[in-house]
Amino acid sequence: MNTIAPNRIDIQKLESYWICYQDFKKELSKASKDEMKSLYFKNLQTLVEAIEQLYETFDEELRTIINMRYWDKSTACHEWIDVADALYMSVQRVLRKRNYIINCLANHIGYIRI
């Protein structure tokens, strides 16, 4: 199967899944059994499980990028140059790793560009 590289909009959407992961988990924990049967919550559960599974399979470097860029609100690493500087990498290298993270999530959840 041929895969198409995500465009800027796809990347923003897929990154938002990583950013909102904690909120998704909270939402799932508050959902009732009836709500969990809805398509929305089933998709949310699939997304949360995919993120958790991928995070576990990633090496320490990729986990650090995810933590710094998406999950750790206390750090000042909200820009890619800050992440690159903190990890002693070029911005291009960090962005290639970001693309790998995004592509893994897209493939894992069956993301389809519309």
Side-chain angles (χ1 to χ4, degrees):
M1 175 169 70
N2 292 336
T3 58
I4 300 171
N7 63 24
R8 184 177 53 86
I9 294 169
D10 296 328
I11 290 171
Q12 289 173 345
K13 184 64 176 177
L14 291 161
E15 279 188 310
S16 76
Y17 295 154
W18 285 100
I19 292 167
C20 296
Y21 163 74
Q22 299 295 338
D23 296 332
F24 293 158
K25 281 190 72 159
K26 286 179 190 174
E27 192 173 350
L28 284 171
S29 69
K30 294 177 183 178
S32 68
K33 286 187 178 187
D34 287 339
E35 288 176 320
M36 290 300 290
K37 294 177 184 176
S38 73
L39 182 59
Y40 171 77
F41 281 101
K42 287 180 183 178
N43 288 340
L44 202 59
Q45 182 69 37
T46 299
L47 183 58
V48 166
E49 288 172 359
I51 288 172
E52 289 172 349
Q53 289 170 1
L54 287 172
Y55 187 80
E56 289 300 314
T57 64
F58 288 156
D59 63 22
E60 193 62 35
E61 201 169 66
L62 293 174
R63 288 181 187 183
T64 301
I65 291 170
I66 291 166
N67 290 334
M68 291 176 74
R69 176 65 182 197
Y70 304 129
W71 293 351
D72 191 359
K73 307 298 183 209
S74 65
T75 64
C77 293
H78 299 292
E79 298 298 327
W80 289 112
I81 192 160
D82 298 325
V83 175
D85 287 346
L87 296 174
Y88 304 104
M89 294 181 192
S90 68
V91 174
Q92 293 80 12
R93 183 172 178 199
V94 173
L95 288 175
R96 280 193 300 274
K97 291 181 178 293
R98 184 270 324 253
N99 290 343
Y100 176 76
I101 292 167
I102 294 301
N103 286 329
C104 286
L105 181 59
N107 291 332
H108 201 81
I109 64 172
Y111 183 82
I112 300 171
R113 180 187 296 169
I114 54 172

